[in-house]
Amino acid sequence: MPRLRLTMACGDYDRTRALYEDTIRPDGIDLTYLRLPVEETFFRMMRHQEFEVAELSLSSYVVSLRQDPSPFVALPVYTSRMFRHSSWYANADAGIESPEDLRGKVVGTPEFQLTACVWMRGIVGERHGVPFDAYEHRTGGQETPGRIEKAKVDLGDSVKISAIPTDRTLSEMLAEGEIDALVTPRVPSPFAKGDPRVRRIFPDVIGAEKAYYADTGIFPIMHVLVVRRDVYERHPWVAQSLYKAALEAKQQAYANMYDTSALRFSLPWLTPQLEEVRALLGEDYWPYGLGEANHRTLSTFLRYHHEQGLSDRLRTPEELFAPEALESAVI
C-alpha cells in the first residue's frame, strides 16, 4: 500500500528536525518538509491554503475558526513558544519608562492579530492596568512598506486603529518618534543596530519573564500545527500519526540538547542554562498536548483574543484541536 504523501511547511527547529531529516516518519505518511520563514508560511496558508500541513500562528488559526466550515484543524503541537516581554519597544523621547506609561500613546504593530502582540497587549492590560483600547494602534510593514493583515480583522469602532502610510515602515517611524512604541515579534532594525533612539520597555527582560512565569505558570504558546480540513476529513487518522511523530521528534531534541560531548548549538553556557530551565519549568519544559499547564495557557490566550475583538465568541481549548490527537490507546 502506498503511503499518503503530504507537504508540511514549518520553521527550522530542533524540535522538528527529525521530521525534516526523515529520521522519524509519521505512521503511513511520506512527509515533504518545507523549511520556510514563518511569515511566508502563514501568509501562504491563510491566503491560499497551499500546504496539507503547516505551522500556523495561534491567533490566525483562532481567527480562521470564524469561517464555516473552518479551513484547518489544529493539533496540540506547539512549534513555537516564547515569553514576549522583549517584544515591547519605545522611542527614547516618548516618555515611556514603564508599561503603565503606554496609556494615551501611539503604538505600532505589524498586524493587530499577531499572536505575540495579542499576548503582550493582554499581559500589559491584565498585569499593568493599561488595556489595549487605552492607546492608539498603527499597523504596517516593520522593515518593508506595504504589509497587510493576512487574516481579516473587524474591530468595529471600539479600537483606534489605522494603517501607516504605504511608503513608510514601523521601524523608521519608531526611531523618528512618529509612533511612541512598537510591539512586534521581530527585533526592529534600529534597536538591533544599537540606535539610542529605540529601547525596550522591559529593560530586564529575563527578570520580567521569570516573574511572570512564577506568578502565572504560563509559558506562552505562539504557533500550532494545523492540517487542512479537506485532508483531515478524508484521512482523520493523520491527526494521531502526525502528533505521535511530532512528540517523538521533540523528545529526541530534548536528548540531543543535553548531550555534553559537544555543544549542539553555539551557546557557551547551553548546559547550565538548560538545567536552570528544567528546574524552573520542569523536565518537560516544552509540553505538547492539553495538560493542565497548556489548558491554562490556551484559556488565557483565548480570553485575550476575545477581549481584543478578534474572536466572535470565547472558545475553550478543547474546541481548537482534532479529538484524535487528544487521546491515545494504553495497555
Side-chain angles (χ1 to χ4, degrees), residues 22 63 92-93 103 132 151 185 191 197 264 277 279 299 301 310:
D22 204 29
V63 169
D93 295 326
R103 187 177 295 275
F132 73 98
F191 183 87
R197 297 176 295 174
R264 185 165 291 267
V277 167
S299 295
F301 177 82
L310 291 165

Side-chain angles (χ1 to χ4, degrees), residues 134-195:
Y135 45 89
E136 297 185 24
H137 305 266
R138 298 287 184 271
T139 63
Q142 179 174 312
E143 308 297 338
T144 305
R147 182 168 177 172
I148 60 173
E149 297 273 358
K150 68 178 70 67
K152 185 178 180 181
V153 173
D154 183 7
L155 303 175
D157 298 325
S158 61
V159 181
K160 295 179 180 178
I161 183 171
S162 60
I164 64 174
T166 56
D167 61 344
R168 304 298 306 282
T169 68
L170 292 168
S171 283
E172 65 184 7
M173 292 179 70
L174 179 65
E176 294 170 12
E178 296 175 72
I179 57 175
D180 301 306
L182 175 66
V183 57
T184 175
R186 287 190 180 269
V187 178
S189 54
F191 183 87
K193 296 173 182 176
D195 190 327

Side-chain angles (χ1 to χ4, degrees), residues 29-69:
I29 296 172
D30 276 334
L31 198 63
T32 298
Y33 189 124
L34 303 180
R35 293 193 303 190
L36 298 174
V38 291
E39 291 90 348
E40 180 178 349
T41 297
F42 298 169
F43 183 86
R44 292 171 66 178
M45 198 62 168
M46 290 297 293
R47 304 285 284 191
H48 305 293
Q49 300 176 27
E50 292 184 44
F51 315 109
E52 288 92 357
V53 184
E55 174 182 24
L56 197 63
S57 152
L58 175 58
S59 177
S60 295
Y61 173 63
V62 178
V63 169
S64 79
L65 296 177
R66 288 174 175 258
Q67 301 178 48
D68 187 18

